[in-house]
Amino acid sequence: MRVKRDIALRRAPGNPREGRLALAHGVRRAALGRSGVAALKREGDGTTPLGRFSVRQVLYRAGRLPRPRTQFPIHAIRASDGWCEDPADRNYNKMVRLSPRASADRLTRADHLYDLVLVLGFNDRPRVRGRGSAIFVHLARPGYAPTAGCIALSRHDLLMLLAQLQRGSAIVVMG
């Protein structure tokens, strides 16, 4: 029987917008929010929140990579999928079906950032308006450019993280 284990993510020395993720195959580079990490996150502030976050579900682009093997609930991203970021919307911080009126982040991006996404349990049970919408672990931009508050990894490292995580384990973001 495998022991449930949390995965530590620490801020990189000298760079508040970059982190170091401790995986079984070594310490790996991660991009963090453009404003670094913070204990109190607010919608749009560009920070990655400090805390312990369980994986709620895995999202992936079926046309871009095979279905990942995982113990977590999994969803193939459709063209109509988005994530609501509007604190005034009743669907704030939830996956939604896109519409002309929806204030949502489109999950089918032209770039590859959302080809594989781990949705973390942040501000979802309960949802507090304005506290910040989804914190994802997604694919990194070239050069590990900062995110809007998410955690970004290389494709290889994100797949290794997914293989290492098990139900009950979490990602712990530390300052």
Side-chain angles (χ1 to χ4, degrees), residues 137-157:
V137 180
H138 61 70
L139 298 176
R141 288 185 172 89
Y144 290 83
T147 69
C150 294
I151 299 163
L153 304 170
S154 73
R155 182 175 178 161
H156 175 264
D157 293 339

Side-chain angles (χ1 to χ4, degrees), residues 5 7-8 20-29 153 156-157 160-161 164:
R5 186 172 160 266
I7 308 296
R20 298 292 183 259
L21 188 70
L23 295 177
H25 71 288
V27 176
R28 311 307 298 174
R29 186 178 183 190
L153 304 170
H156 175 264
D157 293 339
M160 292 297 104
L161 170 63
Q164 188 174 327

Side-chain angles (χ1 to χ4, degrees), residues 62-124:
R64 294 188 173 175
L65 74 156
R67 180 186 173 101
R69 292 180 55 157
T70 180
Q71 300 175 25
F72 299 100
I74 191 163
H75 174 80
I77 297 170
R78 298 178 303 253
S80 61
D81 287 338
W83 199 274
C84 183
E85 299 175 329
D86 181 358
D89 192 302
R90 66 182 173 86
N91 291 310
Y92 178 58
N93 198 22
K94 286 186 174 181
M95 186 183 288
V96 295
R97 183 178 185 100
L98 294 172
S99 72
R101 293 178 286 121
S103 173
D105 187 11
R106 178 174 295 279
L107 295 178
T108 53
R109 297 172 58 116
D111 60 22
H112 292 272
L113 297 186
Y114 291 174
D115 285 2
L116 180 60
V117 176
L118 308 183
V119 179
L120 300 183
F122 172 76
N123 192 28
D124 62 341

Side-chain angles (χ1 to χ4, degrees), residues 31 44 50-51 60 69 76 129-130:
L50 294 168
Y60 75 103
R69 292 180 55 157
R129 294 182 191 277

Side-chain angles (χ1 to χ4, degrees), residues 13-47:
N15 186 350
R17 298 179 299 185
E18 194 170 296
R20 298 292 183 259
L21 188 70
L23 295 177
H25 71 288
V27 176
R28 311 307 298 174
R29 186 178 183 190
L32 301 175
R34 68 181 177 276
S35 300
V37 296
L40 296 174
K41 171 142 184 72
R42 297 284 176 231
E43 187 68 44
D45 67 2
T47 63

